[in-house]
Amino acid sequence: MDFQAVTYELKTWTKARVMPGFSVALLTGKTVQTAVSGEAQWFPQPAPLQPHMLYDVASLTKVIGTTTVFLQAWDQGLVSPDMPLHRFLPDFPHTTTFRQALTHTSGLEGYIPHRNALPAPALKQALMTQLTVTEEVDRQVVYRDVNLLLVGWALEQVYHQPIQTLITRQVIQPLALPQATFQPDSQQCVPTTYSPAVGLRQGVVHDPKSAILGKHSGAAGLFASLADLVTFTEYFFGNRQSASWPAHAADLTQDWTKHHLGRSLGWDLRRYGQGRLWLYHTGYTGTFWLIQPDDQLALVVLTNRVHPQPNPAFLAKRDALIARFLSDFKTMPAV
């Protein structure tokens, strides 16, 4: 599936009003093809989508930011995948390890009443102390934001700074991501939701937990442009160099779960047939990202499928596109 085919497919989504617009990049080695198409918003009035606009990348924050800071700390000998989180979080009552949290095999679950109405300290304490470990631990991947929130809070204790400050100082700035930020100019941002009662959400994180936790959320909150994700991908390819790029990033294209459940540290994994493993991650707002570092191939797609309200039709189309894209590389030799 070449760049023209990907772009054509995405344009059919905008024509069908699955989302207002998109920004897409296909990387093959040192070649980068990009396109921006559609609108930034439909409501309360239409507005064009401009190149270099910032998206609420939602859960891509987990892999750009929190996972990268973890890998840096691992490089420095400050943490390791099998170290328990409670070594840094004494209020956390479980033996959950960084590996289990980062691969979403922690088995943690629980119900917190009125969660989205709690102030930040109360929400953090509830997530730290009121969850239980189920029989899913190590046996099933269950994607939950709390896993990366816990990793972020542990890293805060390692470095004695809020996780979003760490991401800014240790990832965004040294890797020279040109626009990535936790404090965007709202006018530069692609809006997310809109309703007549609440208005337009623009430049404010969509995820309610991260909106409450602010600088202490390592699960969401980052705003970034297509250029930021292209730049980050180029570090995986070795086309950019920085002392801050973690050496352990080379270990990500392997399954880190105990029973080979298809998750790396932070990242999901995808494979078509017997081909190589690809790093993969999505964001609730309509973002998705595939990277194959060994073959220097990557696809980045940014949308705001939650405008004016979340569109569930997007998910099936996204998954079908990913399957078609990966099928073109099914003849790659296995690692």
Side-chain angles (χ1 to χ4, degrees), residues 11-323:
K11 286 181 177 179
T12 68
W13 302 2
T14 60
K15 290 178 181 177
R17 296 183 73 82
V18 174
M19 76 277 188
F22 65 86
S23 301
V24 59
L26 179 66
L27 290 80
T28 52
K30 294 183 178 180
T31 300
V32 181
Q33 300 175 81
T34 64
V36 175
S37 182
E39 296 176 293
Q41 65 189 66
W42 291 322
F43 300 99
Q45 60 276 328
L49 178 61
Q50 303 288 352
H52 312 303
M53 289 187 80
L54 300 180
Y55 289 79
D56 176 347
V57 298
S59 287
L60 298 190
T61 305
K62 295 177 173 71
V63 289
I64 296 171
T66 306
T67 299
T68 305
V69 175
F70 169 80
L71 296 175
Q72 292 169 337
W74 186 14
D75 283 352
Q76 296 163 14
L78 301 173
V79 299
S80 67
D82 291 314
M83 192 176 286
L85 293 169
H86 68 65
R87 177 167 176 173
F88 304 99
L89 303 172
D91 288 348
F92 182 63
H94 307 296
T95 59
T96 305
T97 63
F98 280 103
R99 180 201 298 258
Q100 290 169 326
L102 286 162
T103 58
H104 296 280
T105 57
S106 67
L108 289 168
E109 70 172 31
Y111 173 71
I112 298 171
H114 313 296
R115 185 193 68 188
N116 293 344
L118 295 175
L123 176 59
K124 179 179 177 181
Q125 189 67 12
L127 290 170
M128 191 95 69
T129 62
Q130 295 183 23
L131 303 181
T132 59
V133 175
T134 68
E135 293 181 355
E136 296 168 343
V137 61
D138 282 331
R139 299 180 180 277
Q140 188 173 348
V141 173
V142 181
Y143 183 90
R144 293 190 175 101
D145 284 345
V146 68
N147 289 306
L148 271 290
L149 290 173
L150 288 163
V151 171
W153 296 333
L155 292 169
E156 291 186 350
Q157 297 306 307
V158 172
Y159 289 109
H160 308 291
Q161 293 180 346
I163 184 60
Q164 292 189 0
T165 302
L166 292 172
I167 294 168
T168 300
R169 294 181 179 177
Q170 295 185 197
V171 181
I172 293 172
Q173 292 174 350
L175 298 186
L177 304 184
Q179 294 175 273
T181 181
F182 290 101
Q183 297 176 317
D185 176 352
S186 63
Q187 296 306 305
Q188 298 298 315
C189 296
V190 179
T192 52
T193 54
Y194 170 78
S195 69
V198 178
L200 188 68
R201 196 169 186 86
Q202 185 173 18
V204 179
V205 61
H206 179 272
D207 177 67
K209 295 186 299 300
S210 295
I212 294 168
L213 293 166
K215 63 184 178 181
H216 297 291
S217 173
L222 185 65
F223 288 77
S225 67
L226 185 66
D228 293 314
L229 272 67
V230 167
T231 296
F232 194 89
T233 304
E234 290 174 332
Y235 283 101
F236 272 109
F237 290 0
N239 294 339
R240 291 178 181 263
Q241 305 291 328
S242 169
S244 294
W245 182 249
H248 276 107
D251 298 321
L252 290 176
T253 46
Q254 61 180 290
D255 194 326
W256 279 88
T257 62
K258 187 174 181 179
H259 296 295
H260 307 291
L261 301 174
R263 293 288 309 198
S264 184
L265 299 175
W267 293 83
D268 196 357
L269 295 169
R270 286 288 184 272
R271 192 206 312 261
Y272 194 95
Q274 297 302 309
R276 297 187 193 274
L277 286 170
W278 293 66
L279 300 176
Y280 179 57
H281 214 285
T282 65
Y284 181 83
T285 51
T287 59
F288 57 100
W289 195 3
L290 272 170
I291 306 174
Q292 213 313 304
D294 295 327
D295 294 301
Q296 297 198 356
L297 295 164
L299 176 67
V300 182
V301 179
L302 303 178
T303 82
N304 57 334
R305 68 102 184 181
V306 293
H307 182 83
Q309 295 298 319
N311 188 336
F314 173 89
L315 302 178
K317 290 181 176 295
R318 177 197 67 195
D319 293 348
L321 175 61
I322 291 298

